[in-house]
Amino acid sequence: QLSAYLGNEKSARQEARWLLCHVLSIKLPSLLANLEQVISERDSETYFSYIEDRVQKHKPLAYILGSAPFCGLEIKVKEPFLIPRHETEELVWNLITKLQDQRQENLKILDLCTGTGAIALAFAAHLPSAQVVATDIDRQVLQLARENQEAAGVSNVTFLHANLFKGLESQTFDLIIS
C-alpha cells in the first residue's frame, strides 16, 4: 500500500521501518538487529492502522510519529500545527553556518510566528551565545514550543505570546526570521 501511495519502493520501505520503530518504541538499529522479532497482535493492529492513516487518510508521517527532525533536533509536532519543512531547515542551516563562520557573538534573533519553535530552537542550540526571542499569537502552539525547548535543553530562547512585533517595538535584532 505504501509503495503505491508514495510511488517509490525505497521510500515506502523506509517509512514502513520508521512506523514499525514507532509502534515498538525502538530505534532503527535495534529493529534491524532483531528482524526476527515477533510483533504482537496489538502492535500489528497499530502498525496497520498507521499505514491506513498514511495511505487512505493522507496523514503526514510526522503527525503519526509525533515528531520531525529539524537541524539536529527532534521537534514534537501535532495537528493542527504546521510541520517544520525541509526547505526551512535548509535555510536555517545556511544562516547558522554563515553566522558561525563570521563568529558573530551576542546576536539577538527574532523568530516571528514561531509555531513549534523549530527555527528559534535551532538557532539557540547551534548559536549558544545568541539570545533568541520567538513570538506567536496562538497560546497552544507556544505551549508546544516550550515543550520542544525543554526537550532540546536550550535556555537562550524566550517565547512570547504576541502578534508579530507587538510589545517588541523598542528592541532591535540582528536577524529577523519567520
Side-chain angles (χ1 to χ4, degrees), residues 66-95:
S67 67
F70 190 86
C71 294
L73 302 170
E74 197 63 29
I75 301 296
K76 183 178 175 182
V77 298
K78 65 182 178 182
E79 295 183 77
F81 308 119
L82 297 177
I83 299 166
R85 297 183 53 84
H86 175 70
E87 296 85 354
T88 306
E89 181 179 32
E90 192 173 321
L91 170 69
V92 171
W93 269 128
N94 287 337
L95 288 168

Side-chain angles (χ1 to χ4, degrees), residues 27-123:
K27 300 285 184 193
L28 187 58
S30 296
L31 175 68
L32 297 176
N34 299 301
L35 284 176
E36 70 281 348
Q37 177 178 344
V38 178
I39 185 170
S40 72
E41 186 174 331
R42 182 176 182 216
D43 286 344
S44 180
E45 288 172 5
T46 301
Y47 176 72
F48 285 110
S49 76
Y50 287 163
I51 298 289
E52 182 179 324
D53 283 348
R54 188 77 179 103
V55 175
Q56 302 299 324
K57 299 174 185 171
H58 308 286
K59 191 172 188 175
L61 183 62
Y63 286 150
I64 295 169
L65 299 176
S67 67
F70 190 86
C71 294
L73 302 170
E74 197 63 29
I75 301 296
K76 183 178 175 182
V77 298
K78 65 182 178 182
E79 295 183 77
F81 308 119
L82 297 177
I83 299 166
R85 297 183 53 84
H86 175 70
E87 296 85 354
T88 306
E89 181 179 32
E90 192 173 321
L91 170 69
V92 171
W93 269 128
N94 287 337
L95 288 168
I96 288 169
T97 301
K98 185 174 186 170
L99 293 170
Q100 286 173 331
D101 289 348
Q102 294 176 354
R103 300 193 192 285
Q104 294 282 342
E105 293 292 324
N106 303 317
L107 287 169
K108 285 192 72 181
I109 300 170
L110 175 61
D111 176 17
L112 296 172
C113 308
T114 193
T116 61
I119 293 172
L121 293 169
F123 279 112

